[in-house]
Amino acid sequence: MSKLAGKVAVVTGASKGIGAGIAKALAAEGAAVVVNYASSKAGADVVVQAITEAGGKAVAVQGDVTKASEAQSVIDAAISNFGRLDVLVNNSGIYEFAPIEAVTEELYRRMFDVNVLGVLLTTQAASKHLGEGGSVINISSAVTSLFPPDSTVYTGTKGAVDAITGVLAVEFGPRKIRVNAINPGAVETEGVHSAGFIGSDFINTIVAQTPLGRIGQPDDIASIAVFLASDDSRWLTGEKLTASGGLR
Ligand code: NAP
């Protein structure tokens, strides 16, 4: 039987990459999905089309998670389109590496706004709709234990996401809502391609040090999100699942 039949999920930043993979995987298990995007309407429409052609339910909803009113309307779209909210995947994120000498206030604010404030605003908006059995999944990163050089700001944002995950697990626990993080290693996505990481020494070194010997793919992360969204993970909350092919 489908693991998520009757459930409704919001996936932020689902127009491409890991978010698109998660949206499709949740829908394949029976969830109706709000596919959020910031600017890539075409990408979000392709994801919705793939879901509906496979017999699932999805709607594309624009919204910048760094703005409270837009985060609220993304969440409200779950209620207006599908009547409830069970699963929130905080996936929207940006990454830009810079040595400490090149860190600017602008870089700090831009990355913390999307990666941290976005998680807070979207979860805040979702809070009143989530009920017993609800699941919040934060997409953090393995950088919070790997500490790659030139990543103070990015790793700082994801360290905050790990900490927020732990706090919210305690805050939401009495309401039987679970909050967990997935901490992926390198995953081949549009964002990683456009950042110029593919083929770089950085990625080649990561792959060489990865026990399973390859870069991750969005599907590798999506199946973990299905697990965390479903009752199969009912006894997990406040966890960080490192999904890196064994790289530590
Ligand atoms: P990606 O391919 O660049 O996609 C990023 C997504 O985030 C897009 O859908 C984008 O929407 C959305 N987004 C950006 N700013 C937004 C905003 N202000 N409001 C709403 N949505 C916004 O990224 P990815 O590689 O799949 O990464 C997804 C998540 O996984 C991020 O949190 C990232 O830090 C984390 N992660 C990635 C890797 C990796 O190697 N790829 C590893 C560890 C963790 P638009 O396209 O509409 O702008």
Side-chain angles (χ1 to χ4, degrees), residues 12-20 36-41 63-67 90-95 113-115 139-143 154 157-158 182-192 194 197 203 215 218:
T12 68
S15 59
K16 54 173 81 121
I18 292 172
N36 161 248
Y37 65 97
S39 57
S40 307
K41 181 180 187 316
D64 177 346
V65 296
T66 70
K67 301 196 163 64
N90 285 310
N91 166 79
S92 292
I94 55 175
Y95 34 86
D113 267 9
V114 180
N115 297 4
I139 306 302
S140 180
S141 172
V143 295
Y154 178 63
T157 67
K158 294 302 188 179
I182 304 174
N183 296 52
V187 179
E188 186 174 5
T189 63
E190 286 87 336
V192 162
S194 57
F197 284 134
I203 290 289
I215 189 169

Coordinates of all heavy atoms in Angstrom, one line a residue, residues 12-20 36-41 63-67 90-95 113-115 139-143 154 157-158 182-192 194 197 203 215 218, ligand 1:
T12 N 9.5 23.0 -0.2 CA 10.0 24.2 -0.7 C 11.1 24.0 -1.6 O 11.9 23.0 -1.5 CB 10.4 25.2 0.5 OG1 11.5 24.6 1.2 CG2 9.3 25.3 1.5
G13 N 11.3 24.9 -2.6 CA 12.4 24.8 -3.6 C 12.3 23.5 -4.3 O 13.3 22.8 -4.5
A14 N 11.1 23.2 -4.9 CA 10.9 21.9 -5.5 C 10.9 22.0 -7.1 O 10.5 21.1 -7.8 CB 9.7 21.3 -5.1
S15 N 11.4 23.1 -7.6 CA 11.4 23.3 -9.0 C 12.6 22.6 -9.7 O 12.6 22.5 -10.9 CB 11.6 24.8 -9.3 OG 12.8 25.4 -8.8
K16 N 13.5 22.1 -8.9 CA 14.7 21.4 -9.5 C 15.4 20.7 -8.3 O 15.0 20.8 -7.2 CB 15.6 22.5 -10.1 CG 16.0 23.6 -9.2 CD 17.1 24.5 -9.8 CE 16.6 25.5 -10.8 NZ 16.9 26.9 -10.4
G17 N 16.4 20.0 -8.7 CA 17.4 19.4 -7.7 C 16.7 18.4 -6.7 O 15.8 17.7 -7.0
I18 N 17.2 18.5 -5.5 CA 16.8 17.6 -4.4 C 15.3 17.8 -4.2 O 14.5 16.8 -4.0 CB 17.6 17.8 -3.2 CG1 19.1 17.4 -3.4 CG2 17.0 17.1 -2.0 CD1 20.1 17.8 -2.3
G19 N 14.8 19.0 -4.1 CA 13.4 19.3 -3.9 C 12.5 18.7 -4.9 O 11.4 18.1 -4.5
A20 N 12.9 18.8 -6.2 CA 12.1 18.1 -7.2 C 12.0 16.6 -7.0 O 10.9 16.0 -7.2 CB 12.6 18.5 -8.6
N36 N 6.7 24.1 -4.4 CA 7.1 25.6 -4.3 C 8.3 25.9 -5.1 O 9.2 25.1 -5.3 CB 7.4 25.9 -2.8 CG 8.2 27.2 -2.7 OD1 9.3 27.2 -2.3 ND2 7.6 28.3 -3.0
Y37 N 8.3 27.1 -5.7 CA 9.5 27.6 -6.4 C 9.6 29.1 -6.1 O 8.6 29.8 -5.6 CB 9.4 27.4 -7.9 CG 8.2 28.1 -8.5 CD1 8.4 29.4 -9.2 CD2 6.9 27.7 -8.5 CE1 7.4 30.1 -9.7 CE2 5.8 28.3 -9.1 CZ 6.1 29.6 -9.7 OH 5.0 30.3 -10.2
A38 N 10.8 29.7 -6.3 CA 10.9 31.1 -6.1 C 10.8 31.8 -7.4 O 10.0 32.8 -7.6 CB 12.3 31.4 -5.5
S39 N 11.6 31.4 -8.4 CA 11.6 32.1 -9.7 C 11.4 31.1 -10.9 O 11.0 31.5 -12.0 CB 12.9 32.8 -9.9 OG 14.0 32.0 -9.8
S40 N 11.6 29.8 -10.7 CA 11.6 28.9 -11.8 C 10.3 28.2 -12.0 O 10.1 27.0 -11.7 CB 12.7 27.8 -11.6 OG 13.9 28.3 -11.3
K41 N 9.3 29.0 -12.6 CA 8.0 28.5 -12.8 C 8.0 27.3 -13.7 O 7.3 26.3 -13.5 CB 7.0 29.6 -13.3 CG 5.6 29.1 -13.6 CD 4.7 30.2 -14.1 CE 3.3 29.8 -14.2 NZ 3.0 28.4 -14.7
G63 N 6.6 31.4 -4.3 CA 6.7 32.0 -3.0 C 8.2 32.1 -2.5 O 8.9 31.1 -2.6
D64 N 8.6 33.2 -2.1 CA 10.0 33.4 -1.6 C 9.9 33.1 -0.1 O 9.3 33.9 0.7 CB 10.4 34.9 -1.9 CG 11.8 35.2 -1.3 OD1 12.3 34.4 -0.5 OD2 12.3 36.3 -1.7
V65 N 10.6 32.1 0.4 CA 10.5 31.7 1.8 C 11.2 32.7 2.7 O 11.0 32.6 3.9 CB 11.1 30.3 2.0 CG1 10.3 29.2 1.2 CG2 12.6 30.2 1.7
T66 N 11.9 33.7 2.2 CA 12.5 34.7 3.1 C 11.5 35.8 3.5 O 11.8 36.6 4.3 CB 13.7 35.3 2.5 OG1 13.3 36.2 1.4 CG2 14.7 34.3 1.9
K67 N 10.3 35.7 2.9 CA 9.3 36.7 3.2 C 8.1 36.0 3.9 O 7.5 35.1 3.4 CB 8.8 37.4 2.0 CG 9.9 38.1 1.2 CD 9.4 39.1 0.2 CE 10.5 40.0 -0.2 NZ 11.6 39.3 -0.9
N90 N 11.5 21.4 4.3 CA 12.2 22.7 4.2 C 13.5 22.4 3.4 O 14.5 22.1 4.0 CB 12.5 23.3 5.6 CG 11.3 23.9 6.2 OD1 10.6 24.7 5.6 ND2 11.1 23.5 7.5
N91 N 13.4 22.6 2.1 CA 14.5 22.2 1.2 C 15.2 23.4 0.5 O 16.3 23.4 0.2 CB 14.0 21.2 0.1 CG 15.0 21.1 -1.0 OD1 16.0 20.4 -0.9 ND2 14.7 21.8 -2.1
S92 N 14.4 24.5 0.4 CA 15.0 25.7 -0.3 C 16.3 26.1 0.3 O 16.4 26.2 1.5 CB 14.0 26.9 -0.2 OG 12.9 26.7 -0.9
G93 N 17.3 26.3 -0.6 CA 18.6 26.6 0.0 C 19.5 27.1 -1.1 O 19.3 26.8 -2.3
I94 N 20.5 28.0 -0.7 CA 21.5 28.4 -1.7 C 22.8 28.2 -1.0 O 23.0 28.1 0.2 CB 21.3 29.9 -2.0 CG1 21.3 30.8 -0.8 CG2 20.0 30.1 -2.8 CD1 21.2 32.3 -1.1
Y95 N 23.8 28.0 -1.9 CA 25.2 27.7 -1.4 C 26.2 28.4 -2.3 O 26.1 28.4 -3.5 CB 25.5 26.2 -1.3 CG 24.9 25.4 -2.4 CD1 25.5 25.2 -3.7 CD2 23.6 24.7 -2.2 CE1 24.9 24.4 -4.7 CE2 23.0 24.0 -3.2 CZ 23.7 23.8 -4.4 OH 23.1 23.1 -5.4
D113 N 19.3 34.3 5.1 CA 17.9 34.5 4.9 C 17.2 33.3 4.3 O 16.2 32.9 4.8 CB 17.8 35.7 3.9 CG 17.6 37.0 4.7 OD1 17.8 37.0 5.9 OD2 17.3 38.1 4.1
V114 N 17.8 32.7 3.3 CA 17.1 31.6 2.6 C 17.2 30.4 3.5 O 16.3 29.7 3.8 CB 17.7 31.3 1.2 CG1 17.0 30.1 0.6 CG2 17.6 32.6 0.3
N115 N 18.5 30.1 3.9 CA 18.7 28.7 4.5 C 18.2 28.6 6.0 O 17.9 27.5 6.4 CB 20.2 28.4 4.5 CG 20.8 28.3 3.1 OD1 20.0 28.5 2.1 ND2 22.0 28.0 2.9
I139 N 16.2 20.0 5.2 CA 17.4 19.6 4.4 C 18.6 20.4 4.8 O 18.7 21.6 4.5 CB 17.1 19.7 2.9 CG1 15.8 19.0 2.5 CG2 18.3 19.1 2.1 CD1 15.8 17.5 2.8
S140 N 19.4 19.8 5.6 CA 20.6 20.4 6.1 C 21.8 20.0 5.2 O 21.6 20.0 4.0 CB 20.9 19.9 7.6 OG 22.0 20.5 8.1
S141 N 22.9 19.6 5.7 CA 24.0 19.2 4.9 C 25.1 18.5 5.7 O 25.2 18.8 6.9 CB 24.7 20.4 4.2 OG 25.9 20.0 3.5
A142 N 25.8 17.6 5.0 CA 26.9 16.9 5.7 C 28.0 17.8 6.0 O 28.9 17.5 6.8 CB 27.4 15.7 4.8
V143 N 28.0 19.1 5.5 CA 29.1 20.0 5.8 C 29.1 20.3 7.3 O 30.2 20.7 7.8 CB 28.9 21.3 5.0 CG1 29.1 21.1 3.6 CG2 27.6 22.1 5.4
Y154 N 28.1 29.1 4.7 CA 27.1 28.0 4.3 C 27.0 27.0 5.4 O 26.0 26.6 5.9 CB 27.6 27.4 3.0 CG 26.7 26.2 2.6 CD1 25.3 26.4 2.3 CD2 27.2 24.9 2.5 CE1 24.5 25.4 1.9 CE2 26.3 23.8 2.2 CZ 25.0 24.1 1.9 OH 24.2 23.0 1.6
T157 N 25.0 28.3 8.2 CA 23.6 28.2 8.0 C 23.1 26.8 8.3 O 22.0 26.6 9.0 CB 23.1 28.6 6.6 OG1 23.6 27.6 5.7 CG2 23.6 30.0 6.2
K158 N 23.8 25.8 7.9 CA 23.3 24.4 8.1 C 23.5 24.0 9.5 O 22.7 23.1 10.0 CB 24.0 23.5 7.1 CG 23.6 23.8 5.6 CD 22.1 23.8 5.4 CE 21.7 23.9 3.9 NZ 20.3 23.8 3.6
I182 N 17.8 15.8 7.2 CA 18.6 15.0 6.3 C 19.9 15.8 6.0 O 19.7 17.0 5.6 CB 17.9 14.6 5.0 CG1 16.6 13.9 5.3 CG2 18.8 13.7 4.1 CD1 15.7 13.6 4.0
N183 N 21.0 15.2 6.1 CA 22.3 15.9 5.9 C 23.0 15.3 4.7 O 23.8 14.4 4.9 CB 23.1 15.9 7.2 CG 22.5 16.6 8.3 OD1 21.4 16.4 8.7 ND2 23.2 17.5 8.9
P184 N 22.7 15.7 3.5 CA 23.3 15.1 2.3 C 24.7 15.5 2.1 O 25.1 16.6 2.5 CB 22.4 15.7 1.1 CG 21.2 16.3 1.7 CD 21.7 16.8 3.1
G185 N 25.5 14.5 1.6 CA 26.8 14.9 1.0 C 26.6 15.5 -0.3 O 25.4 16.0 -0.6
A186 N 27.6 15.5 -1.2 CA 27.4 16.1 -2.5 C 26.4 15.4 -3.3 O 26.4 14.2 -3.4 CB 28.7 16.2 -3.2
V187 N 25.4 16.2 -3.9 CA 24.4 15.6 -4.7 C 24.4 16.3 -6.1 O 24.5 17.6 -6.1 CB 23.0 15.8 -4.0 CG1 21.9 15.2 -4.9 CG2 23.0 15.1 -2.7
E188 N 24.3 15.6 -7.1 CA 24.3 16.2 -8.5 C 23.0 16.8 -8.8 O 22.0 16.2 -9.0 CB 24.6 15.2 -9.5 CG 24.8 15.8 -10.9 CD 25.3 14.8 -12.0 OE1 25.4 13.6 -11.7 OE2 25.6 15.3 -13.1
T189 N 22.9 18.2 -8.7 CA 21.7 18.9 -9.0 C 22.0 20.1 -9.9 O 23.2 20.4 -10.2 CB 21.2 19.5 -7.7 OG1 22.1 20.5 -7.2 CG2 20.9 18.5 -6.6
E190 N 21.0 20.8 -10.4 CA 21.1 21.9 -11.2 C 22.0 23.0 -10.5 O 22.9 23.6 -11.1 CB 19.8 22.5 -11.6 CG 19.0 21.7 -12.6 CD 18.1 20.7 -11.9 OE1 18.4 20.2 -10.8 OE2 17.1 20.2 -12.6
G191 N 21.7 23.1 -9.2 CA 22.5 24.1 -8.5 C 24.0 23.8 -8.4 O 24.8 24.7 -8.5
V192 N 24.3 22.6 -8.2 CA 25.7 22.1 -8.1 C 26.3 22.3 -9.5 O 27.5 22.7 -9.6 CB 25.8 20.7 -7.6 CG1 27.1 20.1 -7.9 CG2 25.5 20.7 -6.1
S194 N 25.4 24.5 -11.8 CA 25.6 26.0 -12.1 C 26.6 26.6 -11.2 O 27.2 27.6 -11.6 CB 24.3 26.7 -12.2 OG 23.6 26.6 -11.0
F197 N 30.6 23.1 -9.6 CA 31.3 22.1 -8.7 C 31.6 20.8 -9.5 O 32.6 20.2 -9.2 CB 30.4 21.8 -7.5 CG 30.4 22.8 -6.5 CD1 29.2 23.3 -5.9 CD2 31.5 23.4 -6.0 CE1 29.1 24.2 -4.9 CE2 31.5 24.4 -5.0 CZ 30.3 24.8 -4.4
I203 N 34.8 18.4 -5.8 CA 33.9 17.3 -5.9 C 34.7 16.0 -6.2 O 34.4 14.9 -5.6 CB 32.8 17.5 -7.1 CG1 31.9 18.6 -6.6 CG2 32.1 16.2 -7.4 CD1 30.9 18.2 -5.5
I215 N 29.0 10.4 -6.6 CA 28.3 11.5 -6.1 C 26.8 11.1 -5.9 O 26.4 10.2 -6.6 CB 28.4 12.7 -7.1 CG1 27.8 14.0 -6.5 CG2 27.7 12.4 -8.4 CD1 28.1 15.2 -7.3
P218 N 19.5 13.1 -6.6 CA 18.3 13.5 -5.8 C 17.5 12.3 -5.3 O 17.0 12.3 -4.2 CB 17.6 14.3 -6.8 CG 18.7 14.9 -7.7 CD 19.7 13.9 -7.8
Ligands
NAP1 P1 19.2 23.8 -6.4 O1 19.3 22.8 -7.5 O2 20.0 25.0 -6.6 O3 17.7 24.2 -6.2 C1 17.4 25.1 -5.2 C2 15.9 25.3 -5.0 O4 15.7 26.2 -3.9 C3 15.2 25.8 -6.2 O5 14.0 25.2 -6.4 C4 15.0 27.3 -5.9 O6 13.9 27.8 -6.5 C5 14.8 27.2 -4.4 N1 15.0 28.5 -3.8 C6 16.1 29.3 -3.8 N2 15.8 30.4 -3.1 C7 14.5 30.4 -2.7 C8 13.7 31.2 -2.0 N3 14.1 32.4 -1.5 N4 12.4 30.8 -1.7 C9 11.9 29.7 -2.2 N5 12.7 28.8 -2.9 C10 14.0 29.1 -3.1 O7 19.6 23.2 -5.0 P2 19.9 21.7 -4.5 O8 21.3 21.3 -4.9 O9 18.8 20.8 -5.0 O10 19.8 21.9 -3.0 C11 18.6 21.8 -2.3 C12 18.9 21.8 -0.8 O11 19.8 20.8 -0.4 C13 19.5 23.1 -0.3 O12 19.0 23.4 1.0 C14 21.0 22.7 -0.2 O13 21.7 23.5 0.8 C15 20.9 21.3 0.3 N6 22.1 20.5 0.0 C16 22.5 20.3 -1.3 C17 23.6 19.5 -1.6 C18 24.1 19.3 -3.0 O14 25.2 18.8 -3.1 N7 23.3 19.5 -4.0 C19 24.3 18.9 -0.5 C20 23.8 19.1 0.8 C21 22.7 19.9 1.0 P3 14.0 28.6 -8.0 O15 14.6 27.6 -8.9 O16 12.6 28.9 -8.3 O17 14.9 29.8 -7.7

